[in-house]
Amino acid sequence: FGIGVRSLAQRARAWRKFQRVVRNFREAIFMMPDAASLKISPGVFLWRGCLDRAAQDELIAEVAARTEHAPFYRPRMPRSGKPFSVEETNFGSHGWFSDESGYRYEAMHPLTKLPWPDIPVSLVTLWHAVGAYEAAPECCLVNFYRDGARMGLHQDRDEAALDAPVVSVSLGDSALFRIGGVSRRDRTTSVTLHSGDVIVFGGESRLAYHGIDRVMAGTSPLIAGGGRINLTLRRVTDPSEK
Ligand code: SIN
Ligand code: FE2
């Protein structure tokens, strides 16, 4: 029982809005603070060292406080039920979830059956600073990579608000991130993401295939016991349909 089932008319409206935003996105993203972003490909921007060590420590503490109430679990692949190698949890009103029944957004943690914790204020601020979007994020997906965990190439496409970019924060061990185009067969670009880096993808790259090929163990002291945490911020519902 995922939330956010939408009519065809709503989908068509969202798609037209998405097309408009694709045209505006390249201008909007240059409002990013100090314009220190690196353009990886059209609509994909990397802001190296966006968070300094103090900000990273603070964020890790905020994540740790919330995962006490919303513990990490292992999602499962649609149909096959094969467990992900990545462990996940969520913050915000909408939590991204996957099991045998498919990909969807859920309002409650699957194990505790409680609402997800709130999104840390610093992340909401970051979203507004780099995201160039009028409404607040509704989902912060937390990915925890350890023991060789990785993430295959996929699209983020379970959201109605495809006009909003995806804002993704890396913490802990460095990782090899790969991003291509909207077709799985498109050429891909690989980039190493370090702790404190922020990547934003939207506009014509909002539906770009992306994944994590590998995490380099022992490259960061940030997380006790090692590993990498990725925080992915997304708008899920279309703010104009509220
Ligand atoms: C994701 O696409 O959900 C995660 C990407 C990352 O870990 O950097
Ligand atoms: Fe993703």
Side-chain angles (χ1 to χ4, degrees):
F1 52 96
I3 47 184
V5 177
R6 297 170 342 117
S7 70
L8 271 174
Q10 284 173 320
R11 281 182 181 272
R13 224 168 24 245
W15 180 251
R16 282 194 300 274
K17 185 168 176 196
F18 175 54
Q19 294 301 313
R20 262 196 323 276
V21 171
V22 164
R23 291 193 294 272
N24 297 334
F25 182 72
R26 256 172 298 190
E27 282 81 36
I29 199 67
F30 288 115
M31 290 163 32
M32 274 173 69
D34 85 32
S37 71
L38 191 72
K39 187 171 158 187
I40 304 293
S41 58
V44 183
F45 298 85
L46 170 60
W47 188 6
R48 287 231 183 263
C50 177
L51 306 176
D52 64 14
R53 177 63 199 260
Q56 294 170 40
D57 281 330
E58 210 167 289
L59 207 40
I60 282 293
E62 298 212 75
V63 169
R66 285 165 176 75
T67 54
E68 268 187 42
H69 307 286
F72 285 106
Y73 54 85
R74 234 177 254 282
R76 299 184 299 278
M77 290 298 289
R79 290 180 295 278
S80 73
K82 183 177 184 286
F84 285 27
S85 60
V86 169
E87 293 159 79
E88 295 186 339
T89 188
N90 289 269
F91 309 144
S93 56
H94 291 63
W96 187 85
F97 184 68
S98 178
D99 65 7
E100 288 78 353
S101 308
Y103 299 152
R104 61 195 183 273
Y105 279 94
E106 293 283 0
M108 308 286 175
H109 188 286
L111 306 179
T112 67
K113 312 288 184 200
L114 293 170
W116 308 99
D118 63 335
I119 301 176
V121 170
S122 57
L123 288 176
V124 177
T125 304
L126 176 73
W127 166 271
H128 288 297
V130 305
Y133 193 66
E134 76 265 23
E138 293 172 313
C139 175
C140 175
L141 171 64
V142 187
N143 289 303
F144 187 17
Y145 299 80
R146 51 180 169 180
D147 304 326
R150 49 186 296 282
M151 189 173 291
L153 273 190
H154 66 277
Q155 293 172 295
D156 289 9
R157 54 166 206 191
D158 301 312
E159 300 75 32
L162 290 178
D163 53 328
V166 173
V167 176
S168 169
V169 180
S170 291
L171 294 171
D173 286 339
S174 303
L176 192 59
F177 176 78
R178 191 145 60 96
I179 189 158
V182 296
S183 162
R184 188 180 279 281
R185 289 178 301 277
D186 288 343
R187 191 182 56 81
T188 61
T189 305
S190 289
V191 50
T192 302
L193 298 179
H194 304 290
S195 196
D197 289 354
V198 172
I199 197 152
V200 179
F201 56 97
E204 62 202 280
S205 286
R206 175 58 182 77
L207 293 174
Y209 276 86
H210 60 281
I212 292 290
D213 287 336
R214 73 193 150 85
V215 174
M216 297 104 174
T219 48
S220 165
L222 189 75
I223 298 170
R228 171 175 187 265
I229 286 180
N230 164 259
L231 303 164
T232 296
L233 298 165
R234 302 186 197 118
R235 177 74 194 188
V236 180
T237 66
D238 183 338
S240 68
E241 288 175 15
K242 282 267 156 82

